[in-house]
Amino acid sequence: FPRSLPVSESVSLCLAQREMTNESSVGRVNHTVVTHFILLGIPNASGLQTILFVTFLAFYVCTLLGNLLILLAILADPRLHTPMYFFLCNLSVLDIGFSSISTPKFLANLWAKSRTISLGGCMSQVFFYHFLGSTECLLFTVMAYDRYVAICHPLRYLLIMNQRVCALLAAGTWITSSFHATILTSLTFTLPYCGSNVVDYFFCDIFPVVKLACADTYIIETVTFTNTGMVPTTCFLLILASYVRIVYSVLKINSAEGRRKAASTCASHLAVVTLFFGPCALVYTQPQLSKVLVTRVQIFGNVVTPMLNPAIYTLRNKEVKAALRKLRVGQTPAR
């Protein structure tokens, strides 16, 4: 003990230092940095793991095969090297990527009964979910503009929608969305995560993850809700404006055959736009929806819609069906 202190005071000092050390240790335990997360999966799915695994696997395989076939058919047939099919190729790539964000991990969880995902894996899911989702939203808007030019300005279509313009429009959707996703992901994972690591969802998304943060989440929740609301709303209004002009132009066409052909070129796009914006509108305009229903709607948008998109374009498009038949029999399309 120090000579300047009595024995009793020295003992008290040692005890106080020990208590401070213990409190510091407890604080470090309670504020351990999270290095992984645990995904709870789909609610009320106990005992359905095998059925869900088979169903999700079938959807995922159909999504990959369908979109790859669309890509191969368009690339192999020179007659399909037009702006509309160029954007359709981008859509197929997006559908493959979007369905791959959560489905493989969910299949692994169902098969191996392991729900753990690393911090990096969780960050990747958040980034690519908002990156590809925003890109698809913007791409639908570009495709609506392409249909507007094709129907309202048919004589100047190839001049307006030349290769340079198409490349710039497509690149713009990908680059803009990458900034959007980078901002949201950075804001999400700069928050400290030092408590529970259990994500009450079947994949990592911003709102389920930030609930686990050990800090004020008002800013990230406000920015996320604003961005994820503004982007689809703006795109939807632009698509609506394009189709108002398209309908006005179609009604001025004298021949019934011309009106039918013009409407047919837009039917597939309208179908996939409805499948994309329908779940978004349901989730964001109905906050009172139960978690079970929201999860089902999210699964439909993440898993089912990417599988349906190539089927919609194939079943309603004679040119794509012809290219697929030639691809199947190994014929070389006529130039």
Side-chain angles (χ1 to χ4, degrees):
F1 298 115
R3 293 183 180 181
S4 59
L5 293 177
V7 174
S8 60
E9 291 183 12
S10 299
V11 172
S12 300
L13 180 61
C14 287
L15 291 174
Q17 290 176 343
R18 182 177 298 176
E19 288 177 2
M20 291 176 63
T21 304
N22 290 338
E23 288 177 2
S24 177
S25 300
V26 172
R28 285 196 298 269
V29 171
N30 290 337
H31 292 80
T32 303
V33 177
V34 171
T35 58
H36 64 277
F37 293 94
I38 298 173
L39 302 173
L40 288 185
I42 299 175
N44 302 331
S46 179
L48 301 175
Q49 285 82 0
T50 302
I51 296 174
L52 289 174
F53 177 82
V54 174
T55 303
F56 274 73
L57 181 62
F59 283 162
Y60 187 55
V61 170
C62 290
T63 299
L64 295 180
L65 292 178
N67 284 286
L68 285 174
L69 283 175
I70 291 287
L71 283 172
L72 290 174
I74 293 174
L75 293 175
D77 194 338
R79 294 174 299 179
L80 300 183
H81 293 177
T82 62
M84 184 178 77
Y85 294 108
F86 169 72
F87 295 128
L88 182 56
C89 281
N90 279 264
L91 180 61
S92 293
V93 172
L94 283 170
D95 283 335
I96 292 173
F98 199 73
S99 64
S100 300
I101 295 170
S102 58
T103 307
K105 179 59 181 176
F106 188 62
L107 289 173
N109 293 347
L110 291 171
W111 181 260
K113 303 292 189 300
S114 174
R115 298 177 176 180
T116 302
I117 183 171
S118 66
L119 178 62
C122 193
M123 291 176 65
S124 298
Q125 284 194 340
V126 170
F127 175 81
F128 283 106
Y129 178 73
H130 290 275
F131 170 48
L132 298 179
S134 177
T135 304
E136 190 158 349
C137 188
L138 293 173
L139 183 65
F140 283 139
T141 309
V142 171
M143 294 172 77
Y145 174 72
D146 172 69
R147 292 299 84 207
Y148 157 74
V149 175
I151 294 174
C152 299
H153 304 282
L155 298 180
R156 294 192 298 152
Y157 175 63
L158 293 179
L159 180 63
I160 297 174
M161 299 299 293
N162 56 62
Q163 289 185 355
R164 182 173 177 272
V165 169
C166 291
L168 287 174
L169 287 172
T173 63
W174 291 89
I175 295 171
T176 303
S177 299
S178 67
F179 285 118
H180 168 77
T182 300
I183 292 171
L184 293 180
T185 307
S186 300
L187 288 174
T188 301
F189 290 97
T190 51
L191 294 172
Y193 293 92
C194 50
S196 173
N197 64 343
V198 179
V199 179
D200 191 12
Y201 213 44
F202 69 99
F203 76 103
C204 285
D205 196 9
I206 292 177
F207 289 113
V209 171
V210 296
K211 289 180 181 179
L212 309 177
C214 304
D216 184 20
T217 60
Y218 176 78
I219 294 177
I220 176 60
E221 288 181 348
T222 303
V223 171
T224 301
F225 194 81
T226 302
N227 283 14
T228 55
M230 283 183 59
V231 172
T233 301
T234 304
C235 291
F236 178 77
L237 292 176
L238 291 173
I239 292 171
L240 185 62
S242 297
Y243 274 99
V244 168
R245 295 293 303 275
I246 288 172
V247 170
Y248 179 73
S249 298
V250 169
L251 292 177
K252 292 197 302 182
I253 298 176
N254 295 325
S255 66
E257 178 65 21
R259 288 196 296 270
R260 186 197 65 77
K261 187 175 293 185
S264 177
T265 60
C266 300
S268 298
H269 180 254
L270 281 173
V272 296
V273 165
T274 302
L275 287 174
F276 180 83
F277 285 99
C280 291
L282 189 61
V283 170
Y284 285 98
T285 61
Q286 302 293 326
Q288 72 275 12
L289 288 177
S290 66
K291 185 179 70 174
V292 175
L293 185 56
V294 169
T295 302
R296 291 174 180 174
V297 172
Q298 199 79 42
I299 290 173
F300 181 84
N302 289 14
V303 180
V304 181
T305 300
M307 180 190 69
L308 294 178
N309 286 349
I312 291 171
Y313 272 99
T314 302
L315 294 175
R316 297 193 59 88
N317 194 302
K318 295 180 180 179
E319 294 176 327
V320 175
K321 286 193 289 187
L324 287 173
R325 283 195 297 268
K326 292 177 179 179
L327 188 66
R328 183 182 60 186
V329 299
Q331 295 178 355
T332 303
R335 294 182 178 273

